[in-house]
């Protein structure tokens, strides 16, 4: 490996460190705003308050930094692959014994540990959702997005896809039985932990959210009328869009752990 090649790899490594530090700084600011909004959610209703616009800007910065980190990481991988020897051609495959499986698991764990803290924590969070119920965008067309409650079967760390099970498909579904889907991370929203409401972000009155419609496993757009904190319960009071009865929108209660942020660009 020549000196210029080494210099390029070292420079990209330094850039990766810089991006990680920038991410940490942005996350600190995001956490500060989260705590502020959790303590005083009514502040967003005050004229001139810019908390939500600041939070959006920080989220965009975090996303951009994460995408840059992935780009630099892929560049480093390609640079290293250029100098690593490949296996001998025509090498026969052999059955893995117990030690081979163990070494494979150790290598996988090692690969994850070499990732940046933000990417590593993201992957670990995805893996931890196994056997959990989540909100999933199962279908999407030019007119609307359809979100349902599904169970996570597995998360593939290579393809970054979730394998999920729709345990209660609607009556109009073909076959009528349980159905499996493979979905990208962008189609999955974890539900809040039902046994830890204190750590859950509370959506203020007037905020539009995505919530499970009572008696179903489908999620629809709704507006927060009253929060669990104000109601002194574990439920939101919501008005669902297109839920008109006798010329008015009925107000329905939904447990806090069945309410998630409304995805940007949601169509219903």
């Amino acid at each position: 490996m020549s000196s210029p090649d080494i210099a390029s790899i070292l420079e990209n490594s330094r850039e990766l460190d810089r991006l990680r530090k920038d991410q940490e700084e942005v996350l600190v600011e995001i956490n500060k705003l989260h705590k502020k909004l959790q303590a005083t959610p009514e502040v967003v209703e005050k004229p001139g308050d810019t908390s939500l616009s600041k939070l959006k800007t920080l989220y965009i910065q975090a996303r951009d930094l994460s995408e840059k980190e992935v780009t630099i990481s892929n560049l480093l991988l390609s640079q290293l692959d250029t100098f690593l020897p490949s296996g001998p051609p025509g090498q026969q495959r052999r059955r893995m014994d117990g030690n081979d499986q163990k070494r494979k698991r150790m290598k996988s764990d090692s690969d994850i540990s070499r990732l940046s803290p933000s990417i590593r924590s993201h992957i670990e969070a995805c893996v931890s959702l196994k056997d959990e119920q989540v909100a999933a965008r199962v279908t999407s067309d030019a007119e609307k997005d359809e979100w349902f409650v599904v169970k996570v079967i597995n998360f593939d760390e290579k393809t970054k896809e979730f394998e999920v099970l729709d345990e209660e498909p609607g009556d109009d579904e073909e076959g009528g039985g349980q159905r499996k889907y493979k979905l990208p991370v962008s189609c999955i929203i974890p539900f809040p932990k039902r046994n830890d409401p204190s750590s859950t972000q509370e959506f203020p009155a007037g905020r539009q959210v995505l919530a499970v419609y009572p008696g179903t496993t489908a999620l629809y757009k709704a507006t927060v009328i009253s929060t669990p904190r104000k109601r002194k319960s574990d439920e939101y009071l919501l008005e669902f869009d297109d839920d008109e009865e006798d010329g008015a929108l009925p107000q329905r209660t939904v447990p806090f752990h069945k309410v998630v942020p409304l995805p940007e660009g949601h169509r219903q």
Side-chain angles (χ1 to χ4, degrees), residues 107-170:
K107 181 180 184 298
S108 177
D109 293 342
S110 176
D111 289 342
I112 293 177
S113 67
R114 285 198 298 268
L115 296 173
S116 72
S118 59
I119 294 180
R120 184 168 67 246
S121 62
H122 177 66
I123 291 176
E124 290 173 349
C126 290
V127 172
S128 71
L129 290 175
K130 183 177 180 181
D131 296 328
E132 296 282 343
Q133 285 190 331
V134 297
R137 189 179 70 208
V138 176
T139 61
S140 178
D141 54 38
E143 297 182 356
K144 63 179 180 179
D145 300 328
E146 293 185 339
W147 289 79
F148 300 103
V149 178
V150 299
K151 180 180 179 180
V152 175
I153 299 174
N154 185 49
F155 177 71
D156 191 320
E157 297 176 29
K158 291 184 178 179
T159 64
K160 304 297 186 291
E161 284 186 327
F162 284 94
E163 183 178 4
V164 301
L165 176 67
D166 185 358
E167 299 177 286
E168 300 181 30

Side-chain angles (χ1 to χ4, degrees), residues 204-215:
R207 178 72 59 83
Q208 291 185 321
V209 295
L210 201 62
V212 178
Y213 190 86

Side-chain angles (χ1 to χ4, degrees), residues 2 12 53-54 98 108-109 117 119 143 172 179 200 213 235 252 259:
S2 64
N12 285 328
S53 61
K54 287 180 180 177
S108 177
D109 293 342
I119 294 180
E143 297 182 356
D172 56 345
R179 298 185 63 182
T200 302
Y213 190 86
E235 296 178 322
R252 305 185 186 277
V259 180

Side-chain angles (χ1 to χ4, degrees), residues 15-83:
E15 176 67 9
L16 206 56
D17 287 338
R18 185 188 66 78
L19 287 170
R20 191 196 73 235
K21 291 176 182 177
D22 289 347
Q23 284 176 318
E24 291 174 350
E25 291 176 359
V26 171
L27 286 174
V28 168
E29 295 302 315
I30 288 175
N31 288 333
K32 286 181 181 178
L33 265 178
H34 281 175
K35 290 179 180 178
K36 174 185 175 182
L37 293 175
Q38 287 173 358
T40 56
E42 66 278 0
V43 72
V44 298
E45 300 175 7
K46 294 181 179 180
D49 181 74
T50 59
S51 298
L52 295 181
S53 61
K54 287 180 180 177
L55 189 59
K56 182 178 180 180
T57 300
L58 288 170
Y59 279 142
I60 292 173
Q61 289 178 0
R63 180 197 64 192
D64 292 345
L65 287 169
S66 180
E67 290 175 350
K68 289 179 183 178
E69 186 177 31
V70 171
T71 300
I72 297 296
S73 297
N74 287 335
L75 179 58
L76 277 167
L77 287 172
S78 63
Q79 287 177 318
L80 292 171
D81 284 342
T82 303
F83 299 99

